Structures are given as C-alpha cells and as structure tokens.
Amino acid sequence: MEPRGAVPNKTDQLATAIRDAIGQGELVGGSLYSAQELGQRFGVSRTPVREALLRLADAGLVRIERNRGVRIMTTSDEDLAEICTLRLLLEPPAARRAAARMTDQERADLEAALQEMRETAEDEEAFFAADRRFHEVILRGSGNHRLADHVSSLRDAIALQGRRTLPARRMARQIIAEHETIAKAIATCAPSGAARAMRRHLLTTADLLVGDKDSTSYLDWQEWVGGEGCPHED
C-alpha cells in the first residue's frame, strides 16, 4: 500500500481507468479483451496493462484466462447482497471509531469531500468519486488502512452494477443529506451517532440495490446485520 498522499503511478492510473470503464459500461461484463487491445485503448504498453489487470483480478473485477485474455466479471444479485452485508458489518463500527479519533485535518478532508459532492450533484462520475473519497476518509480515519482497502474493493464490485442503478432511483440530495448526518456526528465527536447514521445510509443503499429482488435468490442481509440500531450501541 502506498503512503498517504503518494502520487499514483502508471499502474494505479491504469487500474483506475479500467475500473471506471467497467463501471460506465464501456468494457462490457462477460466480454473478453486482450492485453494488446486494452493497451491500445488506453495508450499504454503491455507491462502496465498486465500489472493493472493482476490488481483488478485480485479485486474480483476481471478474470485472467490463460492464452485468451481477460474477461470482465459481472455482479449478480447474490454478489450485491453479500457486498452490502459486508459493508454493513464493517463501516458503522469504522464510523464509530473515526468519530472518536480523527484528526482536525481528517475532519477537514471529510468536509471537503462532502462539499465536492454538493458541487458535483449533476455530474454523476464526479459525484460518485467524491462519495468514494468521503467514505475512504472515514475508513482511514478509523486507523485501519487494511479495512479501507478492503471496502474500496467491495465498492469496485458494486460499481459494475450499482453505479448504473442508484442515480435513476435515488436523488443526489438524499445521498448528500445522509452524508451530512454522518459528517455532523463525526464533527461533534459523537461515535454512537456516527455509527447509527452510517448504518442507516448503508441500509438505504442496500434497499435500493437488492431490496426489491426475489428474496429467495440472495442472502438475507438484514438478518445478518440484525435489527434496528447499531451493533454494540451504547
């Protein structure tokens, strides 16, 4: 993992570009692409392509098929339910811890990400990039960088379907309002409030992603994370 604030290298930039192309549907789920084709598409040599694909394969976004190329993975209803379950188990406790230990600079970074969300509400790609930064500031502010990296991989998988699902069904102002509640709890050093607000936000997102699908086709994530309130609430 690179030090905080490090400048992304060519592999980092390419992995991000490929991930974004998958999320935007430019690289089609289920389709097979060669390393040469991807290198030409993104204007880079084969070495960074191979390195970026290995990284994305580790995150579950692509599958490398020997002597054939790389296949773009798809996200099933079951995948989405499992990912929502994991985020509900991981992020509320992280928000609780972050509210108790974040530095002034980290709190300022959180507010900056929130302000960027407000300013980019009509630009889908910029809006979700700011949303991602908001959550990452909290996760890293919890002091567990491995957790931050793991949740980042989960968000990558959701991007295969979730980014195209949410904007059509959920207004940006609602997402911003939920983030403002989280940010306020963290700014006022209210760990329990931050955990509750994060859990409500993630439950709303989970409802939109998987809540209207056949309940027999995926994990019952609400049962996994319990009832109302946040686990271990004071």
Side-chain angles (χ1 to χ4, degrees), residues 101-141:
R101 71 180 303 281
M102 280 175 67
T103 66
D104 289 343
Q105 181 59 58
E106 287 169 332
R107 294 175 198 276
D109 291 342
L110 188 66
E111 180 57 37
L114 179 58
Q115 182 58 30
E116 188 170 354
M117 290 180 68
R118 298 185 185 110
E119 294 172 355
T120 61
E122 298 183 5
D123 181 339
E124 180 181 329
E125 292 306 311
F127 180 81
F128 279 104
D131 174 277
R132 190 185 189 99
R133 282 192 290 276
F134 180 92
H135 284 265
E136 185 174 88
V137 170
I138 294 172
L139 290 162
R140 295 195 183 281

Side-chain angles (χ1 to χ4, degrees), residues 3-77:
R4 193 179 308 183
V7 177
N9 59 32
K10 185 176 291 187
T11 300
D12 295 330
Q13 293 170 343
L14 181 58
T16 298
I18 295 174
R19 183 196 69 207
D20 289 345
I22 294 171
Q24 295 162 23
E26 296 173 8
L27 295 176
V28 180
S31 297
L32 193 67
Y33 298 88
S34 69
Q36 181 178 0
E37 180 181 0
L38 292 174
Q40 291 174 346
R41 175 189 285 263
F42 293 100
V44 296
S45 66
R46 295 183 65 180
T47 297
V49 169
R50 286 195 297 267
E51 293 174 352
L53 291 176
L54 287 171
R55 185 173 302 180
L56 294 172
D58 287 341
L61 296 185
V62 304
R63 183 178 68 227
I64 298 173
E65 299 185 4
R66 187 176 179 84
N67 298 325
R68 298 189 67 193
V70 60
R71 191 173 300 279
I72 308 302
M73 303 303 291
T74 57
T75 305
S76 68
D77 294 348

Side-chain angles (χ1 to χ4, degrees), residues 98-211:
R101 71 180 303 281
M102 280 175 67
T103 66
D104 289 343
Q105 181 59 58
E106 287 169 332
R107 294 175 198 276
D109 291 342
L110 188 66
E111 180 57 37
L114 179 58
Q115 182 58 30
E116 188 170 354
M117 290 180 68
R118 298 185 185 110
E119 294 172 355
T120 61
E122 298 183 5
D123 181 339
E124 180 181 329
E125 292 306 311
F127 180 81
F128 279 104
D131 174 277
R132 190 185 189 99
R133 282 192 290 276
F134 180 92
H135 284 265
E136 185 174 88
V137 170
I138 294 172
L139 290 162
R140 295 195 183 281
S142 74
N144 190 328
H145 286 209
R146 287 185 176 84
L147 174 60
D149 291 339
H150 181 62
V151 172
S152 179
S153 294
L154 295 176
R155 290 179 65 99
D156 285 345
I158 288 178
L160 294 179
Q161 178 173 332
R163 182 176 295 182
R164 295 192 294 277
T165 301
L166 288 177
R169 304 187 52 200
R170 188 180 187 195
M171 299 300 292
R173 63 175 176 269
Q174 180 184 351
I175 301 175
I176 292 170
E178 292 169 7
H179 284 71
E180 287 174 338
T181 303
I182 296 168
K184 181 178 180 181
I186 290 176
T188 57
C189 300
S192 295
R196 284 194 299 269
M198 179 63 78
R199 185 174 186 277
R200 284 194 297 266
H201 167 58
L202 294 175
L203 280 171
T204 301
T205 299
D207 269 330
L208 291 170
L209 286 171
V210 299

